[in-house]
Amino acid sequence: MSTKRMKLILLLVIIMWGSNFVVYKILLENFPFWTLVFSRNFFAALALVWLVRKFLHIKPRNKKLWGCVLGATLLGVFINNVLFQYGLQYTLATNASLIMGLTPLTTALISYLVFHVPLHRKQILGVFLGFFGVFLIVMKGSLQNLLEFSFNIGDLFIVGTLLFFSLSFIFVKKATDTMFPAEIITLYGYTITSICLIPMVFWEQTTMGWGELPTGVIFWIMLLYVGIFPTGIGTLLWNRGISILGPSQAAIFMNGVPLVAAVASIWVLGEPILWFHIIGFLFIATGVILGSQNNESVVEKKNEDKAASVSI
């Protein structure tokens, strides 16, 4: 596949991921908590089973590889999904998308700390700018909130989502370094998480009397969309984009997620865009662009190319 075509595909992924914040915010108001988490993962797993059906015979071949798969599942899917959903209950979709836009920089920082991947001066500056942008959003542009320890709990949950997802990169990279496909790790992650969530769904639905599910067809269509496209297909296309363009080039596309989410939030949810959102976005976008620059070629080492995997 040509790089030009892959860039167009990544733009489609960014549109899906940006819209995911808005659609999921609507679903949170109409579905019980654990039922929604389970359904998203279950539909994503079904989509991935069909998409990677030719590679289903590939399984972790030893305990170490199983440990990497389970570590990536726990941090990057299970905890990531739960914190993300809690966060969206209490904060704006715009805030969540801006904070998650820091993912490439957080991943670069963890690569430096864990794998000793060198950071150039532009990358270091990018990390600082990006984190300052998120800090500005969480503080709502006021240092008084820091002095009074007044935070939006939803923003903190989203920050936790960012950190746990970025930490899952450690396990993903260790597995892919052994040539284990990132797509299969993703499939295992959504499948194992779905199975683990079944008891929570039964408990929730039993408590509610099995009568809290929406009857409108539109909500089920939205749920299918979130599970199949942004979560399942979006992740696979993103992994493919990384393998062709390299992590640094692909990371720049992450700047489009907050922009799409902000436009959709204004249009669909009527959320306000305040001055600290704009300033925060500029800091994060500048940080990602700087942090994505290095002295290597566009197509980087294959053992690094397959190491990144995103789930929003």
Side-chain angles (χ1 to χ4, degrees):
M1 184 182 296
S2 66
T3 57
K4 183 177 181 180
R5 184 179 178 186
M6 193 68 249
K7 289 179 179 179
L8 292 175
I9 291 176
L10 285 186
L11 285 176
L12 177 62
V13 173
I14 295 314
I15 292 173
M16 288 193 293
W17 282 350
S19 65
N20 180 58
F21 287 90
V22 176
V23 175
Y24 213 74
K25 185 79 172 177
I26 296 173
L27 292 175
L28 273 169
E29 299 173 356
N30 293 276
F31 280 87
F33 185 91
W34 294 107
T35 303
L36 180 57
V37 180
F38 165 79
S39 300
R40 178 194 182 191
N41 284 273
F42 178 70
F43 290 138
L46 288 180
L48 288 168
V49 166
W50 184 81
L51 290 170
V52 303
R53 59 191 181 280
K54 294 182 180 179
F55 306 101
L56 292 178
H57 63 280
I58 302 176
K59 298 178 177 61
R61 54 187 174 274
N62 53 52
K63 291 182 179 179
K64 184 176 180 180
L65 198 49
W66 267 113
C68 291
V69 171
L70 293 176
T73 297
L74 178 64
L75 299 180
V77 183
F78 187 89
I79 296 178
N80 172 52
N81 278 201
V82 173
L83 289 180
F84 175 76
Q85 191 159 304
Y86 269 122
L88 271 186
Q89 280 188 324
Y90 301 107
T91 192
L92 299 176
T94 304
N95 282 32
S97 64
L98 286 168
I99 293 171
M100 290 304 298
L102 197 60
T103 298
L105 297 183
T106 310
T107 302
L109 184 59
I110 288 177
S111 297
Y112 169 73
L113 295 174
V114 178
F115 302 110
H116 308 294
V117 177
L119 287 175
H120 305 292
R121 278 179 290 185
K122 286 185 178 180
Q123 290 176 305
I124 295 173
L125 177 60
V127 169
F128 277 108
L129 290 176
F131 276 103
F132 179 77
V134 169
F135 178 79
L136 188 66
I137 294 165
V138 173
M139 293 298 103
K140 296 180 174 60
S142 173
L143 287 177
Q144 189 67 27
N145 289 326
L146 177 62
L147 297 176
E148 297 177 354
F149 201 72
S150 175
F151 305 111
N152 183 323
I153 189 64
D155 288 339
L156 297 184
F157 275 128
I158 298 298
V159 170
T161 303
L162 169 69
L163 294 177
F164 276 105
F165 168 72
S166 299
L167 286 172
S168 72
F169 164 79
I170 297 172
F171 295 97
V172 174
K173 186 176 191 308
K174 286 183 176 180
T176 53
D177 279 349
T178 66
M179 303 307 293
F180 193 77
E183 293 85 353
I184 299 298
I185 297 175
T186 307
L187 171 60
Y188 270 93
Y190 290 126
T191 303
I192 294 172
T193 298
S194 298
I195 294 172
C196 293
L197 287 170
I198 290 176
M200 299 302 297
V201 174
F202 271 96
W203 168 80
E204 181 177 67
Q205 289 298 324
T206 301
T207 303
M208 294 181 173
W210 300 87
E212 295 296 323
L213 295 176
T215 56
V217 176
I218 185 63
F219 297 117
W220 290 97
I221 293 175
M222 292 168 69
L223 181 56
L224 283 170
Y225 167 77
V226 165
I228 294 174
F229 290 97
T231 308
I233 296 176
T235 300
L236 283 184
L237 292 177
W238 178 260
N239 288 338
R240 182 61 175 163
I242 287 175
S243 69
I244 293 176
L245 301 177
S248 296
Q249 291 292 311
I252 297 176
F253 283 83
M254 289 294 293
N255 289 319
V257 175
L259 186 60
V260 173
V263 172
S265 297
I266 296 173
W267 182 42
V268 179
L269 302 177
E271 290 187 356
I273 299 297
L274 304 175
W275 69 268
F276 57 82
H277 289 137
I278 299 173
I279 302 299
F281 169 75
L282 292 176
F283 272 106
I284 294 172
T286 304
V288 170
I289 292 173
L290 289 174
S292 300
Q293 295 180 12
N294 54 37
N295 296 324
E296 296 179 303
S297 61
V298 172
V299 181
E300 302 174 300
K301 299 176 183 178
K302 288 296 181 180
N303 64 340
E304 293 178 6
D305 289 347
K306 296 181 181 179
S309 173
V310 175
S311 171
I312 296 180

